Each structure stands twice: as C-alpha cells, then as structure tokens.
Amino acid sequence: MLKDLITPENANVFVGKLGDILEKAIDKPLGYAINWGRIWSLWPVHIETACCSVEFGAASSPRYDVERFGIIEAFGSLRQCDLIVVQGTITRKMAPRLRLVYDQMPEPKYVIAMGACAITGGLYFDSYNVLPGIDGVIPVDVYVPGCPPRPETLIQGCMLLQEKIKRMKARKIV
Amino acid sequence: MMSDDSEKPVADPKPDTKSSPPPKPDTKSSPPPKPDTKSSPPPKPASKKPEEKPIELPAFEKGISDKLVEKFGDKVEVGFVKKDRVRINISKENIHKVAEFVRDALNYDHVESVTGVDFPTDKEIEVVYHVGSYTDSSLARQILVLATRAPREENPIPGQDSTRLPSIRDVFYSAEFGEREVFEMLGVYFEGHPDNRRLLLPEDWADLPPLRKDFAIKGR
Amino acid sequence: MTAELPPGLALQKADERIMTLNVGPQHPGSGHMRIVVQIDGDYIVACDPDPGYVHRGEEKMAEYRNYITNIPHLERPVIHDSCNILYPYVLGAEEILGIEVPERAKYVRVIASELNRCIYTMYWLAIYGIFLGHSTMFMWPAGDRELLIDLMEKMTGARVTHAHFVPGGVRNDLPPNFEDTCLRQVNYFERRIKEYAAVFYDNPVLISRTRGTGVLSRQDAIRLGTTGSVLRASGIDYDLRVKEPYDVYDELDVHTNVMKEGDSYARSRVPWLDMMESCNIIRQALQKIPKSGSVRTKLKPNPKTKGPATVYKRVESGRGSLGCYIVSDGKPEPYRVKMSVGSFRNLIALPYLLKGEKLGNMPSVYWSLNYWPVEADR
Ligand code: SF4
C-alpha cells in the first residue's frame, strides 16, 4: 500500500514530510536542552557605560552574588559573551561603540537595559549629549528600572531574561 | 621645575615699578558677573557706592592683592578680596605676564580649575583660572582667581575666529586639560597651547560650543 | 600638535616598530574611557587619554535648574561618593542663598562624608583587584563595603544615591540608635580593613606589580597639579580637611597620611590609610555631635539668592580636592556651575606615568591614579 503511494516522482515530498514530523518531535526537547544550557551560563560583556556599573559591581559582590543564578562575572573577551548589560547612560560618543560591540558578539545575544538612563535617558532627558534610551541603537530584551537599580532588581532582571530565553526558539527552523 | 622657583621666600617685593603705590579701593562685595549692567571688559561694578567705613579686609589676602597691584599698576584690577579668595581681573594682553609673576614671586604653583563663563550681553567670554599652591604652606588655603575676558562672536568658528586668549599652559602646566575643555565647551582658542584638540565631546560634534548661552538644550 | 609637546609625549606616526593600540572603551583595563597607547615592543612610548564617553553635560543642565533641583543630578558623577561630590556645591549654594547650617547638621555631614569616602575607596580597591587579576582583592572590599552601605541606607534611605546634603543642612536626622550601630560597625570595619595588609599590601604579587612602576616625583606632582591620594603618595602633605577645614573639621583631629615613594604601590596604599583615618574621624564626630537639635534650616521651594556673587568652595573627596565654582546672577538658577573634580585633574599625569612603562603595567598605573571616569567627564 505504501508502495503504491510512493512513486519516484513524489518520494522527496514524503521525505520532506517525514523530516517535518521528526523535527517537530525532536525540536521541543532538543530546544529545551539547548536553552537550558544557555540560561545557566550567561556571560556579560565587560562594558561599563556610566554610574550604574557601581551596582553591577555590587551585584557580583559576595552579598548578592549573581553567579549563583548563572550570570558569570564580567571578565574576558566579547567574542565569548552572549549578554550585554548596558549599565546606564549612553552618550552620543559611546553609542557607535556600543553598536560595534553588539555587532561583534556571536549569536544568540541578549541585552539588558539597566537603569533609567538606558531606558529613557532618565535624569538626563534634556542633556545635549545623552541618547533618550538605547532602543534606537540595539534591541533590548529586558528593562531594569531604577537609578541605579538595586542589585536585587538587577538579579530579578536577569532571572526574567532567563525565563524569556526558556520560551525562545532555540534554533531557527528553515 | 616649578618647585625650584618656589624655594624662594614668599615676600618678593620687586621694587622696580613704583608707579602706583596706592592700592585700588577693594570693594569687598563687588559682584563680578553681572551680565546685564556692564559693557567694559573688566567687570567693574556699576553701582560704585562710596563706602565710607571700609569693611575690614583680611590682611593676608590684602597683602597678596597689594603685591599684584604694586607690580602691575592699573593693568590689573582687584575684583574682590574675601577670606581665602582674591580675585584679579586682567586684560588678555597681560594674563601671561601676571601668571608668570604669580608663579615666580607669589609662589603659586598649580591651576585648580579653568572655567569659561559666557556673557552674551557683554559680547565677551570670561575665562577664570583658580590658582593654588602646594609648596607654600601659608598659601595652602588661598585661591587666587585670575579672570580674563575674550571677545565673543555671534557665529563662532572655534579656532578660527577672534575668540582667542594667550594660553598659560607654559606657565602652569596643570592648565592643559582645563584649557582644552574650555576650547571645546566655549570655543575659546588658546594661542600657544600645543594641543587644542577635542577632549570630551563626540568627534562629530558640529553644533555650537555647548556651554555658550545661546546653545539651548532640548525642550527648554 | 606635535611640535611643542615635551618630546616623547605626543603620539608619533606609527611605523613598523611603533604600534598604536586602542585600549577601551570596552576593555577590562580601561573603564569608561579610551587610552590610545603607542608601544615599541612591550614598552609604551606615548599615550593619549581620550575621556568623554560619559560626558552628560551636567554643567549645562545645572543652568536650567534651581539650587535645590540641581542636587540629584549633580551627585550622579560619583554615585558611590555622592555626599562628597555634593559637598562643595552645597557649601557654595549656602553662601549664595545666605543660609546658616545648624551645628548638628555639620556633624551629620562629616559622618556621612567620611562613611562615603570609605565606601568609595572600597569600591576603588575592589576594581583595583580586578585590574590586577586578584580575585580576593575584589571580593573582600566589595563585601565589606556593604556594611557601610547598610549604615548609609539607615541614615539616608538609599543605597548609593543619597541626595542627603541640601543647602541648609541635611535632609533627615539620624535614625534612633544610629550612634551605637555606627560605632559598632565602624569598629568592626576598621578591624577588618587592617587584615587587608596581610592579604594585599604585603602580598608579593601586588608588590612586584606596583612597586617602582609609574613613579611620580614630588616636583612633577606639584607641576601637574595632581591632587588627593596621588599627591600625598608623592610626599606632599596636603589635605583640605586640615589645610582649609570646612564645616566642623577644624574641631576634629585629622591626621594626613603621606608616603614618599610616589609609585603605584604608594598610591594604592594611601587611600587605605585614609580609610582608617576616616574611622577615627567618625568616632570623634560621634562623640562630639550635639545630642539634639535641628539638622536643617528650611528653605522655600524656589529660594531667593542674595544677588550676584561668585563662590569657589573646595572639599577633600575620595579622589582629592573637589572644587565647585558657582556664578550667580541673582536668579533662582545658577548662572554657571563648574565642578573642578579630582579625577580630571589627575588624568593629566597619565601620559607622564605611562611613558617608558611596560604595557602590562598600564592597568595598575591607570587605576592607581584614583580615577573615576564618570566624574572626570561630568
Ligand atoms: S540610571 Fe541613574 S545611576 Fe544609572 S547611569 Fe543613569 S544616572 Fe547613573
């Protein structure tokens, strides 16, 4: 019966269908596994942009210790990083550099906008040299408000990002 | 290099120019920046009320200003003499000479800050040097304020218009970054400064120098 | 540009031997700034600091806000030293607005400013650890710093951005039982930082990386107009708390820590000695503080100034002398506010210190200048 259905002409259609079914069956657990791996080893880039970096530093201090949530302290090269925590104000001089850093990072990459300045310009809404938020420069995943956000808030932001990654598609299906 | 000079004694009267022994009347509460009532380059208070009983000026600070007045006569003008602060207004031709005198004879040795203040109504930009001393312990709490003024143009082309001042970087090296900052923030070009480059603003800044009063920030 | 700079300080044309490197702004060893260095092999031949990545136009914004509403944004350049950076501005505004400060408020200010100096220095020390690749040196100060942050939080209500000093005093009185808690925690803190000597300052790794590098002679320190711990590490006894005491520092016994060497090691050690001195000052202030009384002269929402005036006030902050020049034309807003900050003044020493150094010593020399880029850019 199957023999009748599959002719040399439509064989590749069947193979394609079979592939789809297989992918659907495998993708979910596989994607889950990949995402699970990603969320527990987020490497932030070492890029400080303004005063919020003080609280970012405090978040990796012994009392708050973001490392237990899988956010590794910011060391190392940006080629092995997958998270930018934009720590505050982005000035007009810094904006091209921020984009450059973002472009050089390998996919997948996530962005946390930390502090009122990175979200809307904050206190510096009317300054001549400050961008009104970084969404115009790079896409943002999680906003962490505060001026500066307490380390607990930053940790919560990171956990929100982890929630978000869990629900993301791990691989692009063509 | 500086401290070689500063080993000299504090009082160095230099009795060469005895032109104007009587020191200028130091009006104690003279407010220098009064951008609406002045037009002459040195900010002389318009309301020159003849104070009959002069308020007692601090003696040490008065000595400093007297020395300067004695040396330079009416080329310098005493802005105010307050506790620990002496302000001298100088025209831009003499700022270099005065700075040299202040360093060599009065033992001041570093510039703490260089500030530019824009006075659009006077068509002038004031540059203020706050000079202090580390080597002379009697001057440790003193700040000598040297103020000078440069002409201001409506449409500035920083570096090419007439808004120029002689640099005192070769006298006080510590003024280097301060003068660079004033150049980009107010467009005052410092002649003799070897490094009039941009310091803080973005490389592509093409607007007015931001600290001028006619540069309005957005929404205001 | 090149002709009149002292030989060797200006950037040269790069050739095959001399290579130009951009360090920063994304670099663990630069902070929020870029340092263009030229190296010949492993040795730095010229260096050109390029600050301004956090230039937010504070001074321009200050012209649009009145004396009270200027407070929050003027403390942002150094949020972990926010009391000290507001101090000269507040002193100047008091003179312009003509307000007297109650005696108790002066003591509260001294306590807050000394606590803040310790908080700043601990953070600086922690980052110095990162720059040297010394993890313990990051973890210990970053953890112990939280003790004092707790104190400040009790006192002001915020972790780092306090906005506690206002013209006329401080915002809030001390909370109940603050004196005892403060004394206990400061004593513990002092015992704790004394242990740092064994781990950091006698550590052969730290010594070999900082001793003898970036030597700033006494003459140069004066000529370049450096300030704060950089100056005191070069053997000049200059501390504004002693030389030009503001508020109640003249009633307290302040000792200045001076070291002769002028190298990175001395520059890293002087702030640590200053922290112990701060603990001393806090203890004295807690003893002498009037037990009750008001801490704030109330101001109207849009206070009137006394008329045109200029003031220049200085205080000693964690990074050295911090001046604020305020020009007032009688309006409720200042006509011009200029912050003369210690970081900006110390930056000028960087090209001098780096010339002839090894590239690997760059982070330790750079951070030993007690530099906070956000403050320098304002
Ligand atoms: S949000 Fe506040 S703390 Fe953060 S960078 Fe902006 S001003 Fe600084």
Side-chain angles (χ1 to χ4, degrees):
Chain A
M1 196 180 82
L2 204 62
K3 231 181 185 176
D4 304 335
L5 275 174
I6 303 175
T7 57
E9 288 82 56
N10 65 2
N12 46 2
V13 177
F14 267 92
V15 171
K17 280 253 165 27
L18 201 64
D20 279 3
I21 292 164
L22 261 184
E23 203 164 60
K24 281 225 179 81
I26 287 183
D27 189 62
K28 234 175 172 193
L30 190 65
Y32 187 82
I34 291 175
N35 277 340
W36 180 86
R38 271 180 197 152
I39 59 178
W40 301 118
S41 62
L42 287 169
W43 287 73
V45 189
H46 197 286
I47 177 167
E48 305 103 336
T49 55
C51 33
C52 274
S53 59
V54 175
E55 289 302 70
F56 185 78
S60 34
S61 77
R63 180 180 289 184
Y64 296 101
D65 191 16
V66 280
E67 211 163 323
R68 67 203 152 121
F69 298 105
I71 315 283
I72 290 152
E73 231 175 278
F75 287 114
S77 143
L78 60 91
R79 305 265 178 200
Q80 66 199 46
C81 295
D82 52 4
L83 172 66
I84 301 189
V85 182
V86 181
Q87 301 155 15
T89 324
I90 293 296
T91 58
R92 286 180 41 185
K93 195 170 179 176
M94 191 67 184
R97 275 80 174 186
L98 180 67
R99 181 74 214 189
L100 199 67
V101 167
Y102 181 78
D103 285 345
Q104 288 186 43
M105 281 162 57
E107 291 278 353
K109 45 198 171 188
Y110 315 103
V111 178
I112 294 181
M114 178 184 180
C117 285
I119 300 175
T120 60
L123 212 52
Y124 298 93
F125 66 97
D126 59 351
S127 166
Y128 54 84
N129 205 24
V130 174
L131 294 193
I134 56 160
D135 340 41
V137 186
I138 50 177
V140 181
D141 289 295
V142 176
Y143 295 92
V144 181
C147 183
R150 293 178 64 100
E152 295 97 325
T153 326
L154 179 66
I155 292 173
Q156 197 208 2
C158 294
M159 289 163 79
L160 278 177
L161 178 68
Q162 289 171 337
E163 282 295 309
K164 188 175 176 180
I165 295 173
K166 236 186 239 172
R167 283 146 217 263
M168 276 180 172
K169 277 211 177 101
R171 303 176 301 132
K172 284 209 185 89
I173 299 172
V174 190
Chain B
M1 318 174 180
M2 273 289 316
S3 57
D4 301 346
D5 308 322
S6 50
E7 250 93 73
K8 286 180 198 165
V10 190
D12 200 357
K14 295 231 171 175
D16 38 7
T17 47
K18 287 259 178 70
S19 54
S20 63
K24 308 209 67 174
D26 306 326
T27 47
K28 159 128 188 349
S29 58
S30 78
K34 203 178 186 183
D36 35 11
T37 49
K38 298 185 314 273
S39 53
S40 61
K44 195 72 198 158
S47 58
K48 203 182 168 194
K49 42 180 176 290
E51 286 172 354
E52 290 315 322
K53 44 172 181 28
I55 309 157
E56 223 178 287
L57 292 176
F60 186 79
E61 288 80 354
K62 181 110 174 38
I64 295 171
S65 72
D66 283 354
K67 264 182 226 152
L68 274 159
V69 172
E70 191 182 322
K71 175 85 185 4
F72 290 100
D74 48 3
K75 283 185 202 143
V76 298
E77 188 208 10
V78 181
F80 56 68
V81 179
K82 287 195 270 195
K83 186 165 175 286
D84 300 338
R85 306 279 186 267
V86 180
R87 182 186 169 110
I88 311 281
N89 300 322
I90 314 152
S91 68
K92 68 180 203 175
E93 292 81 31
N94 298 319
I95 175 81
H96 200 276
K97 259 182 277 160
V98 173
E100 260 171 13
F101 177 74
V102 162
R103 182 190 69 181
D104 298 340
L106 297 185
N107 273 349
Y108 285 95
D109 55 19
H110 69 279
V111 171
E112 286 214 340
S113 88
V114 188
T115 315
V117 190
D118 188 15
F119 290 111
T121 38
D122 300 0
K123 297 213 165 18
E124 275 170 337
I125 292 177
E126 187 178 74
V127 175
V128 186
Y129 297 92
H130 290 93
V131 189
S133 175
Y134 289 141
T135 37
D136 192 333
S137 59
S138 65
L139 292 177
R141 50 186 298 151
Q142 303 292 328
I143 289 287
L144 181 63
V145 187
L146 304 176
T148 183
R149 290 193 164 212
R152 175 186 192 278
E153 290 195 5
E154 280 310 309
N155 299 313
I157 317 163
Q160 274 137 49
D161 52 11
S162 66
T163 314
R164 284 163 181 273
L165 280 180
S167 163
I168 64 164
R169 174 192 170 274
D170 48 347
V171 185
F172 293 113
Y173 194 91
S174 34
E176 168 166 351
F177 277 20
E179 286 185 350
R180 267 175 79 177
E181 193 198 340
V182 172
F183 172 58
E184 68 170 354
M185 292 294 170
L186 286 129
V188 183
Y189 185 83
F190 286 93
E191 278 162 346
H193 193 293
D195 208 8
N196 264 314
R197 269 179 311 144
R198 185 155 282 171
L199 189 63
L200 297 178
L201 288 179
E203 296 87 346
D204 53 353
W205 183 267
D207 211 333
L208 286 174
L211 280 182
R212 294 217 180 185
K213 285 286 171 186
D214 44 5
F215 175 87
I217 57 180
K218 55 190 173 192
R220 300 282 175 148
Chain C
M1 155 206 153
T2 47
E4 290 152 63
L5 277 179
L9 273 179
L11 293 186
Q12 299 160 11
K13 251 185 93 189
D15 57 19
E16 275 172 15
R17 249 186 104 68
I18 293 179
M19 189 162 75
T20 310
L21 274 185
N22 281 300
V23 183
Q26 190 272 319
H27 188 273
S30 78
H32 329 39
M33 77 181 295
R34 182 170 71 127
I35 308 170
V36 185
V37 285
Q38 286 192 326
I39 49 172
D40 179 0
D42 211 5
Y43 290 90
I44 297 175
V45 285
C47 150
D48 178 25
D50 174 22
Y53 289 89
V54 209
H55 174 66
R56 302 187 281 201
E58 308 262 1
E59 290 170 5
K60 184 76 183 175
M61 288 168 61
E63 295 170 9
Y64 290 82
R65 288 155 168 76
N66 71 24
Y67 285 94
I68 306 288
T69 49
N70 259 332
I71 288 177
H73 79 91
L74 279 184
E75 75 173 5
R76 287 305 188 273
V78 202
I79 53 170
H80 45 321
D81 199 6
S82 57
C83 288
N84 277 323
I85 191 157
L86 273 182
Y87 216 148
Y89 171 78
V90 166
L91 290 176
E94 269 155 13
E95 190 170 319
I96 282 178
L97 301 172
I99 323 167
E100 285 296 314
V101 186
E103 187 71 9
R104 183 169 159 90
K106 291 184 179 171
Y107 278 98
V108 177
R109 277 188 191 176
V110 167
I111 294 170
S113 117
E114 293 300 330
L115 283 175
N116 245 252
R117 187 190 319 277
C118 293
I119 292 172
Y120 168 79
T121 311
M122 291 300 259
Y123 185 77
W124 170 84
L125 202 56
I127 302 294
Y128 203 35
I130 291 188
F131 275 24
L132 294 176
H134 188 333
S135 275
T136 317
M137 200 165 163
F138 171 74
M139 289 298 173
W140 281 28
D144 292 338
R145 174 175 168 263
E146 299 286 336
L147 269 182
L148 300 186
I149 288 186
D150 281 352
L151 269 182
M152 286 307 282
E153 201 175 342
K154 276 208 187 77
M155 190 166 165
T156 67
R159 253 179 72 87
V160 280
T161 44
H162 314 298
H164 194 48
F165 292 13
V166 288
V170 293
R171 220 155 31 88
N172 303 320
D173 203 348
L174 297 180
N177 293 334
F178 179 81
E179 281 90 340
D180 301 340
T181 330
C182 182
L183 196 64
R184 215 175 48 240
Q185 301 229 13
V186 164
N187 284 343
Y188 172 77
F189 176 77
E190 195 185 9
R191 265 207 319 281
R192 180 80 187 138
I193 56 176
K194 278 198 178 129
E195 290 173 21
Y196 288 12
V199 179
F200 311 142
Y201 292 109
D202 299 341
N203 185 336
V205 178
L206 182 87
I207 289 177
S208 67
R209 290 198 59 182
T210 54
R211 250 256 158 97
T213 62
V215 181
L216 184 67
S217 66
R218 194 173 185 279
Q219 270 92 339
D220 275 345
I222 295 170
R223 192 170 64 93
L224 299 173
T226 55
T227 174
S229 59
V230 180
L231 189 70
R232 291 199 287 277
S234 291
I236 298 153
D237 184 354
Y238 191 86
D239 186 330
L240 284 173
R241 289 175 290 175
V242 182
K243 300 286 182 185
E244 189 185 347
Y246 43 95
D247 275 358
V248 286
Y249 275 109
D250 45 355
E251 287 161 32
L252 305 172
D253 183 20
V254 186
H255 169 250
T256 320
N257 299 301
V258 181
M259 286 182 82
K260 289 272 172 329
E261 292 88 346
D263 53 3
S264 301
Y265 182 76
R267 283 198 294 275
S268 68
R269 194 174 172 115
V270 166
W272 174 68
L273 296 171
D274 279 354
M275 277 197 285
M276 297 199 215
E277 191 52 38
S278 291
C279 295
N280 265 335
I281 297 172
I282 294 168
R283 274 195 292 268
Q284 289 176 38
L286 284 174
Q287 259 178 15
K288 290 197 178 165
I289 184 167
K291 287 292 168 267
S292 60
S294 111
V295 288
R296 182 174 182 186
T297 316
K298 280 274 188 237
L299 275 177
K300 296 216 184 65
N302 216 358
K304 294 257 178 325
T305 53
K306 286 201 305 184
T310 60
V311 283
Y312 183 73
K313 291 281 180 186
R314 302 188 289 171
V315 303
E316 184 77 22
S317 75
R319 298 154 305 289
S321 139
L322 217 163
C324 187
Y325 177 60
I326 307 180
V327 181
S328 147
D329 59 349
K331 297 220 181 73
E333 298 91 21
Y335 189 75
R336 173 90 165 86
V337 176
K338 157 90 183 177
M339 315 282 285
S340 159
V341 287
S343 310
F344 190 72
R345 288 171 59 191
N346 285 343
L347 178 62
I348 194 172
L350 187 66
Y352 275 84
L353 299 184
L354 283 187
K355 187 169 183 301
E357 277 306 324
K358 277 190 177 165
L359 183 63
N361 285 336
M362 196 194 83
S364 75
V365 171
Y366 161 67
W367 202 249
S368 75
L369 284 178
N370 215 334
Y371 183 75
W372 179 242
V374 191
E375 187 199 28
D377 299 351
R378 280 156 287 148

